Amino acid sequence: AQSVTQPDIHITVSEGASLELRCNYSYGATPYLFWYVQSPGQGLQLLLKYFSGDTLVQGIKGFEAEFKRSQSSFNLRKPSVHWSDAAEYFCAVGALSGANNLFFGTGTRLTVIP
Amino acid sequence: EAGVAQSPRYKIIEKRQSVAFWCNPISGHATLYWYQQILGQGPKLLIQFQNNGVVDDSQLPKDRFSAERLKGVDSTLKIQPAKLEDSAVYLCASSTQDTQYFGPGTRLTVL
């Protein structure tokens, strides 16, 4: 069965510092992997996705993520955080075929301090 | 391109009352999903439609929750009767073949 673990419930970083949010997944086949961001009172916005090919994927707002099959990880990174990045971040894994519903992690809340 | 629309944005009801949520997906998206997001958790799938047919409703509490997508476009999700534990954000999403796009959600508070 699919599952996603985001081990960090809450992360605080200073504006301008680098960021890495961890995501580990469990899936029996090659997964679809996603990162979504949710600002307060808003729906989820897609940051980036990985299906196949290059294991380093670029997304919107300067985010990137690296797929590491050996570690079952898909960590999200940003070299320099902006105050507007403060939000909740969700990693999700989806199936390649059939009912392609997403399984979400519990999220990581990012706080950015000046 | 317009995104996924949902209404209402907020709803407060008392337990045992009924409530309905509406979703209008992105034009041309055949697949529509309803998720429940309880505070502090990630979204959990309730039901998935492909056009007007149900693909997966294994996580839908069918004794109180129902959903329909009669013409393969708009969808409604209903709860009757509501319980305190139904307090959550209800998210609607629609998808192309491989990516889901989410609406802003409806925040339900059951008192």
Side-chain angles (χ1 to χ4, degrees), chain A residues 36 38 41 43 49 100-101, chain B residues 9 33 37 45 48 99-100 103:
Chain A
Y36 284 86
Q38 187 176 36
K49 59 188 177 184
N100 57 336
N101 53 299
Chain B
R9 292 295 310 276
Y33 312 78
Q37 185 179 18
L45 180 73
Q48 177 185 351
T99 301
Q100 294 185 27

Side-chain angles (χ1 to χ4, degrees), chain A residues 6-106:
Chain A
Q6 293 182 248
D8 303 306
I9 296 174
H10 184 204
I11 285 182
T12 300
V13 299
S14 298
E15 191 169 15
S18 63
L19 172 70
E20 183 169 28
L21 302 182
R22 296 183 290 165
C23 172
N24 293 98
Y25 69 90
S26 174
Y27 188 64
T30 301
Y32 281 169
L33 293 163
F34 303 81
W35 275 99
Y36 284 86
V37 61
Q38 187 176 36
S39 297
Q42 303 297 314
L44 280 76
Q45 180 184 20
L46 180 68
L47 285 176
L48 47 78
K49 59 188 177 184
Y50 171 79
F51 295 156
S52 64
D54 192 347
T55 57
L56 184 63
V57 293
Q58 302 297 320
I60 63 172
K61 303 184 181 186
F63 285 92
E64 66 179 25
E66 186 171 12
F67 172 61
K68 293 185 177 180
R69 184 186 300 276
S70 62
Q71 298 177 20
S72 297
S73 69
F74 188 57
N75 294 347
L76 181 72
R77 300 193 294 249
K78 186 170 184 178
S80 178
V81 170
H82 188 262
W83 64 267
S84 60
D85 293 325
E88 188 93 18
Y89 291 80
F90 291 94
C91 181
V93 62
L96 277 175
S97 61
N100 57 336
N101 53 299
L102 296 178
F103 290 85
F104 284 86
T106 51

